[in-house]
Amino acid sequence: MKKNKNKEKNKNKRVHFNEEQLTEKARRSKVKSAEKILEENSNINLLSNQKKTSIDEYTIIKELGSGSYTKIVLAKYKLNENEYALKQIDKKLVDKFEKHYEIHIEKQCLIQLKHPNIVKMNKAFQDDNYLYFALEYCANRDLGRLINCLGKFNYKLAQFYSAEILSAIIYIHKEGIYHRDIKPENIGLDEYMHLKLFDFATADKINKFFDIKSMRFVPLNKNIAANLENENSENNIVKLEKYHILLLSHLFVGTPEYISPEVLEHNYSLIGPGVDIWALGVMIYLFFTGITPFNGKKESELLENIKNVKYSFDNTDIPDDAKDLISKILVKDPKQRIGYNSKDYSEIKNHPFFNGINFDELEYEAPPVSEIKEILEKVGYKISKQEERKKEESKNKIQKDLYEGNKDMDDSDDDDENEIQSKRLSASNLLEMTNPNLKVDADSTSSGNANNENSTSNEDVVLLEEKIEKKSPWFHYNTRILKFFSKGHIDYYDPKTKELKGSIFINSDCHASLVEDNKFEIETLNRTFTFKHKNKRVLKEWVDKINSYSLKYAEKNKKPKEI
């Protein structure tokens, strides 16, 4: 009887707990449970509670390149001794040059994309003055330099590299991204000579717009679509309710020789993934000939030829199956380009040009460079064997890599938005995003350095240096610092930013000549470079030095006569 009374008493007590007390009690219980789980699993990821990544965790080896607001260095991460191309972005200069959205676009794309032919971003972090992207290191610079060095590719190499570019394009399009500036200078070469697509600062997303308030891509919804035509899109920015949308597809980006007709004609309804396929067609032509299909004596002529798809296969050694594929890609209407109607571009993959290519196994195959390996190593390429790559990948999987286990990919997001979006963005300066031009020394055997008494066989010293005007692909002239190095290459730099803009390899196929009182040309196997300077004596000095090196190279590589 007494027990029943106590039960009744306790029951009544419970009734007197109010809702607020019960909620508080439940909250404390959940917190206690969570603390217990954390305690039990505290050894699972010890790095997750550590301080954010610092630049002090890296050993800087050397500078690889620089741009108007970035510097790229080769850096070794102290915890695992892995090397990375560390991109250092100056926050103050980002404000000055209004480069906020390019950085955010590149970061978001690289975090999302994981493919063997796309440069990996292993970490993004920041401090008070800089943002940092730790990128996969492309030890053999970029594809543009390789084309410059070889002039043109043999069938196997052209086929393999076309397949790797197509593989990357298929993947990014499947992920809803299109690059918009695919060209040889935006494709790196790793130590195994595999291709790595980079520089996503000009990328766009399919059916999404870039919201410059949140620095995020936002979906195209009915509200946005209904107002797009009615809004004044000056500076390519549309203001709609909570959105402040940058119309990336309306920005004129790209490099002249690789731009598609729909971009040139501002046909916004047609601008999309087809621009990347067009660039692939241009590059396949380039691989076999050393030149791009569209050209002209003046800028206007070049652009008209692209708009009218006016090019020729005459006097080229392009094989028939490659010609057929190129002609089916370089079509004015992107909807008529080969592969448009297949989601996975199977129509292109199954084209006879790619016979013998297994797209699923590309990353495991060694690029066909064995025939030219000796030539490449002479001019500074360091080519590792594919077997070594497999061992390295296996080792990384076993380690689970302490560094990559704590990527800090979002460390910078909150602070970035507070610091970066204070200024109104400009849509006119999208073209300056720097490329990580990785400086490679040529081997002294590429051309003698006997003309410089102070140089040794291992040094690459500057023989000539001059501030000069260089003709650009757009036919106007840019001021450049031209440097002739003792190992037989000419590099040219932007005088303001000190950024390396390109290189010319001097070999037996090069010839320099005075063309006017104030101009000289360097003819290579695949391209002619034009420079001008007011002093004719300076021009003659450069012409003589280039031709002297070209002659030495020819003599050095001349085969002895058989007896």
Side-chain angles (χ1 to χ4, degrees):
M1 192 73 175
K2 194 173 181 179
K3 276 185 179 180
N4 291 336
K5 282 184 179 179
N6 285 339
K7 278 184 181 179
E8 191 65 33
K9 192 176 179 182
N10 289 336
K11 186 180 177 182
N12 291 337
K13 276 185 180 179
R14 284 196 292 272
V15 170
H16 291 299
F17 278 106
N18 61 36
E19 198 174 317
E20 211 172 81
Q21 286 173 306
L22 285 169
T23 305
E24 178 61 20
K25 188 177 179 183
R27 189 191 70 79
R28 285 180 181 175
S29 176
K30 283 181 180 178
V31 169
K32 196 170 181 181
S33 298
E35 286 174 347
K36 189 177 179 182
I37 291 168
L38 283 173
E39 190 177 344
E40 289 172 354
N41 296 282
S42 59
N43 62 337
I44 289 175
N45 189 1
L46 296 174
L47 288 174
S48 61
N49 293 320
Q50 289 185 0
K51 65 187 179 79
K52 291 181 178 180
T53 304
S54 162
I55 188 63
D56 295 332
E57 295 172 33
Y58 294 85
T59 301
I60 307 301
I61 299 172
K62 63 178 179 179
E63 184 173 331
L64 300 173
S66 61
S68 54
Y69 60 94
T70 62
K71 182 168 75 172
I72 299 166
V73 296
L74 177 60
K76 188 175 284 187
Y77 189 64
K78 294 175 183 177
L79 280 182
N80 59 16
E81 296 296 302
N82 284 350
E83 289 182 343
Y84 299 94
L86 193 63
K87 191 171 189 174
Q88 180 179 292
I89 304 162
D90 191 314
K91 290 181 178 179
K92 288 182 180 176
L93 293 178
V94 166
D95 280 340
K96 179 181 177 182
F97 292 108
E98 296 183 337
K99 292 291 184 178
H100 316 96
Y101 62 94
E102 291 98 323
I103 293 165
H104 280 270
I105 287 168
E106 182 172 35
K107 179 183 172 184
Q108 288 175 54
C109 288
L110 288 176
I111 288 172
Q112 177 184 340
L113 300 173
K114 309 292 178 190
H115 187 273
N117 296 120
I118 294 172
V119 161
K120 296 179 183 67
M121 182 163 74
N122 292 286
K123 191 182 282 280
F125 60 99
Q126 67 170 319
D127 55 30
D128 291 340
N129 300 313
Y130 298 98
L131 304 170
Y132 300 93
F133 292 168
L135 304 171
E136 183 178 3
Y137 175 44
C138 292
N140 285 313
R141 292 192 62 172
D142 61 65
L143 187 58
R145 186 179 175 92
L146 182 66
I147 294 168
N148 235 358
C149 179
L150 297 176
K152 53 187 177 181
F153 296 164
N154 61 36
Y155 187 94
K156 285 184 179 178
L157 192 59
Q159 183 195 45
F160 187 87
Y161 280 162
S162 298
E164 288 206 317
I165 295 167
L166 178 60
S167 181
I169 289 173
I170 291 170
Y171 171 76
I172 65 173
H173 289 183
K174 206 174 282 185
E175 290 290 308
I177 293 168
Y178 55 109
H179 190 281
R180 301 202 302 164
D181 194 19
I182 292 179
K183 59 181 179 179
E185 290 74 21
N186 282 343
I187 299 173
L189 284 162
D190 68 12
E191 61 181 304
Y192 310 99
M193 297 299 284
H194 281 283
L195 300 188
K196 304 282 181 177
L197 181 62
F198 63 81
D199 197 353
F200 284 82
T202 62
D204 198 358
K205 285 205 174 186
I206 300 162
N207 294 329
K208 288 192 177 182
F209 293 107
F210 194 73
D211 181 6
I212 56 178
K213 284 188 176 180
S214 66
M215 289 290 174
R216 293 288 182 272
F217 284 100
V218 295
L220 172 62
N221 57 38
K222 291 179 182 178
N223 179 37
I224 297 174
N227 287 279
L228 276 178
E229 293 181 6
N230 301 325
E231 285 291 330
N232 178 7
S233 58
E234 271 186 41
N235 298 321
N236 305 304
I237 293 174
V238 176
K239 299 174 185 177
L240 292 170
E241 298 178 4
K242 63 177 180 178
Y243 295 114
H244 197 190
I245 296 166
L246 183 62
L247 299 174
L248 295 176
S249 62
H250 288 204
L251 300 180
F252 188 85
V253 299
T255 303
E257 295 96 328
Y258 303 90
I259 289 178
S260 61
E262 62 267 29
V263 174
L264 285 178
E265 295 178 340
H266 306 284
N267 196 339
Y268 303 127
S269 62
L270 292 177
I271 294 174
V275 302
D276 292 341
I277 297 298
W278 174 276
L280 171 65
V282 173
M283 280 201 287
I284 295 173
Y285 188 104
L286 172 70
F287 290 163
F288 284 106
T289 64
I291 59 172
T292 52
F294 302 101
N295 50 61
K297 293 180 180 178
K298 296 180 180 178
E299 176 185 334
S300 56
E301 187 181 346
L302 168 67
L303 301 183
E304 281 302 311
N305 286 340
I306 294 173
K307 288 177 187 177
N308 298 320
V309 196
K310 188 179 177 181
Y311 67 98
S312 172
F313 290 121
D314 294 344
N315 302 316
T316 67
D317 296 324
I318 303 175
D320 290 340
D321 53 2
K323 283 181 183 177
D324 184 71
L325 179 57
I326 292 166
S327 64
K328 288 176 178 176
I329 289 177
L330 299 183
V331 177
K332 183 162 185 173
D333 183 356
K335 293 179 181 178
Q336 301 301 317
R337 287 173 201 157
I338 185 172
Y340 178 84
N341 295 312
S342 56
K343 290 182 180 178
D344 60 352
Y345 294 105
S346 56
E347 198 178 352
I348 302 179
K349 289 164 68 176
N350 295 329
H351 189 276
F353 176 62
F354 290 116
N355 281 351
I357 292 288
N358 185 339
F359 282 87
D360 296 328
E361 297 293 324
L362 279 173
E363 64 175 304
Y364 305 112
E365 292 183 22
V369 295
S370 55
E371 293 179 16
I372 54 172
K373 187 176 179 181
E374 189 178 337
I375 297 170
L376 294 177
E377 287 177 342
K378 278 185 179 181
V379 291
Y381 283 82
K382 297 175 183 178
I383 305 171
S384 300
K385 292 181 180 179
Q386 186 76 7
E387 290 76 15
E388 293 172 11
R389 177 184 179 180
K390 290 177 182 176
K391 288 178 187 175
E392 188 64 27
E393 286 175 354
S394 177
K395 185 182 78 173
N396 288 340
K397 283 178 183 176
I398 293 168
Q399 281 182 348
K400 270 302 178 184
D401 206 273
L402 283 174
Y403 171 71
E404 294 181 5
N406 182 38
K407 293 189 178 178
D408 288 345
M409 284 299 191
D410 295 316
D411 278 359
S412 57
D413 283 352
D414 294 335
D415 293 333
D416 283 357
E417 283 168 20
N418 293 332
E419 243 180 276
I420 287 179
Q421 65 180 359
S422 56
K423 293 196 174 189
R424 188 167 183 269
L425 302 178
S426 165
S428 63
N429 53 17
L430 192 60
L431 296 173
E432 292 177 16
M433 191 68 176
T434 186
N435 297 333
N437 288 315
L438 312 179
K439 197 164 186 177
V440 179
D441 287 335
D443 189 272
S444 59
T445 57
S446 65
S447 57
N449 56 8
N451 290 338
N452 192 328
E453 294 175 4
N454 298 321
S455 67
T456 69
S457 60
N458 293 320
E459 289 179 331
D460 192 19
V461 297
V462 178
L463 303 180
L464 291 176
E465 182 174 343
E466 193 66 47
K467 194 172 185 178
I468 205 162
E469 299 292 309
K470 177 185 172 295
K471 191 176 183 180
S472 79
W474 288 100
F475 299 95
H476 62 271
Y477 283 83
N478 294 318
T479 302
R480 295 286 179 252
I481 301 296
L482 207 62
K483 293 184 181 182
F484 194 126
F485 288 86
S486 59
K487 291 186 179 179
H489 61 102
I490 297 171
D491 292 349
Y492 45 96
Y493 303 80
D494 186 311
K496 292 180 181 177
T497 65
K498 310 302 180 189
E499 179 186 358
L500 177 63
K501 305 300 286 187
S503 302
I504 306 168
F505 291 90
I506 306 303
N507 56 36
S508 55
D509 294 313
C510 287
H511 178 73
S513 58
L514 294 168
V515 289
E516 292 177 24
D517 286 343
N518 65 337
K519 290 180 186 176
F520 81 93
E521 289 181 345
I522 305 174
E523 291 182 59
T524 66
L525 191 63
N526 59 319
R527 186 176 170 188
T528 298
F529 299 84
T530 304
F531 302 89
K532 67 178 181 180
H533 192 278
K534 58 185 178 182
N535 191 326
K536 192 173 181 179
R537 182 187 59 79
V538 170
L539 300 180
K540 190 174 186 308
E541 185 179 13
W542 278 84
V543 167
D544 291 345
K545 180 68 72 176
I546 291 164
N547 288 335
S548 168
Y549 262 65
S550 179
L551 184 62
K552 282 180 184 177
Y553 187 94
E555 289 294 327
K556 195 162 192 175
N557 290 279
K558 187 185 290 183
K559 291 182 180 179
K561 291 182 180 179
E562 293 183 7
I563 299 172

